[in-house]
Amino acid sequence: MAKVKVATVWLEACSGCHMSFLDIDEFIIDVSKLVEFRRSPITDIKTFTPVDVGIVEGSVGNEEEKEIIEELRHNCKILMAWGDCACFGGVCAMRNTFNKEDVLRRAYIETPSTYNGKIPVSPGVPALLDKVYPANQIVKVDCYVPGCPPEPEAIKYGLTELLAGRIPVVPSNIMRFD
Amino acid sequence: MSEITLNINGKQCKGKQGDSVLDVCVANSIDLPTLCHYKGLTDVGACRMCLVEIEKERNFVPACTHPASDGQVVKTSSEKLEKYRRLILELMFTERNHLCAYCVDSGDCELQSLAYKYQMDNARYQYAWPTQVTDSSNPFIVMDHNRCILCGRCIRTCDEITGAHALDFGKRGWKTNVCADINQPLGESSCISCGGCFQACPTGAIFSKASAYRGKPVECTTVESTCAICGVGCDIKALVKNNRLVRIDSPDMTKPRGLLCEMGRFEPLYDSAERVTTPLNRNSKGQLASCSYEEAFEIIAKKFGASDSVAGLASGKASSEALKALADLMDKLGSKLVDTLDGDDCRTVSQGIARFDSKAGLDMEAKLEDILTADCIVVIGAHPTKSHPVIGSYIMRAASKNKAQLIVLDPLRNPFTFRASVWLKPPEGKKELTVKALGKAILDHGLPKAAGDKSKFSADFKEVDVKKAGKDLGIDVHDITRAGQLLAESKNSIIIYGSGILEYKDADLVATILNLAALTSEKPSVISLKRYGNSRGAWQLGLGNPRGPVASDLAKGKAKGLYLLLADDLTESQALTDSIKGVEFTVVQASYLSPATAKADIVLPSLLWTESKGSYTTLDGINKKTSPLVKAPADIKTDADTLKEVARHLKK
């Protein structure tokens, strides 16, 4: 059987979800037998090719992240969201109760350790979106594994179900939001 | 009440007329998700989680507010219902900023548990991300509106259980928020910090500062005990992790003595006074130095053995076991100089009762629960919201729920005065005349015939001229006559008096108050507020010296030795430290270092009520027991054991 092609991306998040993925112990050997990683922060491949499963960790908070998730969606058949940031907005969404300008001013100018700070305007630095969005508010998401980070057990469940050809819904007993 | 039968999920379920559909479900162990429902509070149907399908009803109805009726056919679960419940959860999560990863209540949150139950792994709606404030102005409680689902449990607890009604909804529609008073910071509002709101809060919207991030309930052990701080004796349920108190809750806020107050909920969590951890002995340099129990006992035995007069003084904070052991020790020493720190209160109350009726003892006093059923409450010289906050809550509940008439007789404004039907403000030192004028006003108004012959009790009042008294007191005569009328017309009155009366040490005044109570009811219903958690226990053991204050004997140098049992009492009193001055050899048994221990020759350590097993008698005479919640910081004997060891070491 041909290997299932997978691409994972790490957007606005701490990479804890990918860490949790690496935390699935010996199951990772089974996964590697069945799955081929086409792109992931672990392999450091940056280009997209069409895959069966796309996995997104992190929320969408700037232009670059929006572009990446849109490109991933375009290139994958099934999109799975990992972690609270991708599912609900998570810690990154804390900035949503302030407006963008205040957040930038606070971060680049007002913090006590900043001297002569400036808000970066270089075209090389992606511009912030007005808000931080969970993945499903930007593109269609097919399944979710919430948690901050998700339990390795939940990540394992999600992958097992997908590999079995089913769309996973994490059972209550292993679902966590923290 | 007649029995009704409902068909719930195809099962025949019995209920009572007047039950809600939810009540019947609960009684028949049928699981139904709820958020705004809280045992003992009025149901409001705010959260819509308990929606059920009832045959012949046009819409889904919330089970908590829908009356159950005979023959109803109810379905608590269907594909559509489950879909709706998940939808409601998604709406709640998107309406405010519910981000579990950084919420204090994660893992102990009813909203989160329901989201897990309904496998809510995402929300389909646009998030509102409202800007909400976090109000941490109260010294103990934080209100984080970001996590609020507007279920109103805090509001109903504050109103229906605590009786404070400091919280309510403010603004309308989308802008609705829980607010204190007229939208003031919680710390500046009329909130009495009883903590009922955060116990009732299903999410992390209201939480206790001292408990936040100290441990989730699943990581804690639970110990049930009794609060021994004041004489109410509330039941408590303590959560403990790594021998540290995480939280003190009420096991059931709706039960009598289930309500807690600021003292019971927070005092043990904020305990920072310096402890006595080993026996201390005053060395040749005049400094207190650590020594062994054995050394301390030997020195005490030697000194007390050589002394012909040893006095014993006890705080009403000590357990009954410790107090009994002190009484036994004094017996062994052949000393009659035993007293409690609130001995004056004991003498005033007991003699007052004896003057009213020689046969009646302390048991003639009413029970605290009688406040809740009273139709007229008179508060004389007492500030229960400060000294016994739960009694304050009972009074406010009776006033707001039962529409009990409240008469306050106090020169100072207190939380009751604005709820009072009549507030009589006697000038300094004239409380007695005010009480007498009130009694006369009752007689003037006239009592119903059914009341019987009251001449026995009216002697104190007959001579008073209400008009003249009003003039002398500077109180509007109409206020006095109105108060008299309210009392005369009441069927079930109760009088509560406290330190504002006891400070006069006037037993006649207490007798007058009892007579006043006897005028309007067959059995006078009176409660005196006693100062310490186990005051009544100490009084009942006869520790309150009937002959007069032992402290003054000490000041006169009548005793050479003194055994002062302070236990965890930290109330500093000048009179106490003064009385020690005239004594040659003083033993202080205390939990904390204090001005009293600084003057002692021997200090013996004492456990806190949170660390020991003990019996306490509430101010209305109920025996309660404490269980150790945490271990003491050192190997400390119980108070009773320490005292028994002292007695054993005496040669006689």
Side-chain angles (χ1 to χ4, degrees), chain B residues 4 34 64 74 86 107 115 133 211 237 250 257 299 317 321 335 386 407 409 432 445 451 469 483 505 534-535 631:
Chain B
I4 51 173
T34 55
C64 66
V74 182
R86 180 181 152 146
V133 294
S211 314
K237 187 180 87 182
S250 150
R257 314 203 193 223
I299 298 169
K317 292 206 97 178
E321 288 81 0
S335 170
K386 269 201 192 129
I407 299 167
L409 201 152
E432 188 172 359
H445 182 269
K505 301 174 195 171
N534 199 23
S535 277
K631 281 196 208 83

Side-chain angles (χ1 to χ4, degrees), chain B residues 55-128:
Chain B
E55 250 176 39
K56 290 178 192 147
E57 286 289 339
R58 200 156 51 101
N59 301 322
F60 291 160
V61 293
C64 66
T65 50
H66 200 80
S69 60
D70 200 42
Q72 252 169 357
V73 181
V74 182
K75 238 163 93 180
T76 64
S77 180
S78 69
E79 204 179 307
K80 209 167 176 187
L81 277 171
E82 303 296 286
K83 205 177 99 185
Y84 278 20
R85 284 179 190 145
R86 180 181 152 146
L87 182 148
I88 292 160
L89 286 168
E90 286 178 57
L91 285 170
M92 283 182 192
F93 269 85
T94 48
E95 190 185 19
R96 297 243 172 153
N97 309 313
H98 293 283
L99 296 156
C100 302
Y102 49 92
C103 176
V104 284
D105 246 26
S106 189
D108 179 30
C109 170
E110 292 178 37
L111 180 67
Q112 188 188 51
S113 321
L114 282 175
Y116 291 167
K117 184 178 172 187
Y118 289 95
Q119 293 174 289
M120 197 206 91
D121 55 12
N122 76 97
R124 289 163 290 173
Y125 306 101
Q126 218 170 358
Y127 287 79

Side-chain angles (χ1 to χ4, degrees), chain B residues 266-321:
Chain B
F266 301 114
E267 212 170 80
L269 270 61
Y270 284 83
D271 181 17
S272 60
E274 205 179 333
R275 290 286 297 270
V276 179
T277 50
T278 64
L280 305 172
N281 171 27
R282 197 165 292 281
N283 61 20
S284 50
K285 286 181 203 148
Q287 289 161 332
L288 283 174
S290 177
C291 69
S292 73
Y293 267 111
E294 205 50 40
E295 283 172 72
F297 293 147
E298 293 293 339
I299 298 169
I300 297 170
K302 214 172 111 195
K303 290 279 188 183
F304 279 2
S307 169
D308 52 353
S309 55
V310 177
L313 265 180
S315 163
K317 292 206 97 178
S319 68
S320 296
E321 288 81 0

Side-chain angles (χ1 to χ4, degrees), chain A residues 94 96-97 137 170 172 177-178, chain B residues 102 106 116 119 125 129 131:
Chain A
M94 274 178 107
N96 286 356
T97 55
Q137 303 225 339
V170 179
S172 308
F177 292 168
D178 61 356
Chain B
Y102 49 92
S106 189
Y116 291 167
Q119 293 174 289
Y125 306 101
W129 304 122
T131 304

Side-chain angles (χ1 to χ4, degrees), chain B residues 224-242:
Chain B
E224 299 223 351
S225 182
T226 304
C227 172
I229 297 175
C230 83
V232 176
C234 298
D235 297 329
I236 58 168
K237 187 180 87 182
L239 299 184
V240 183
K241 188 186 169 187
N242 300 334

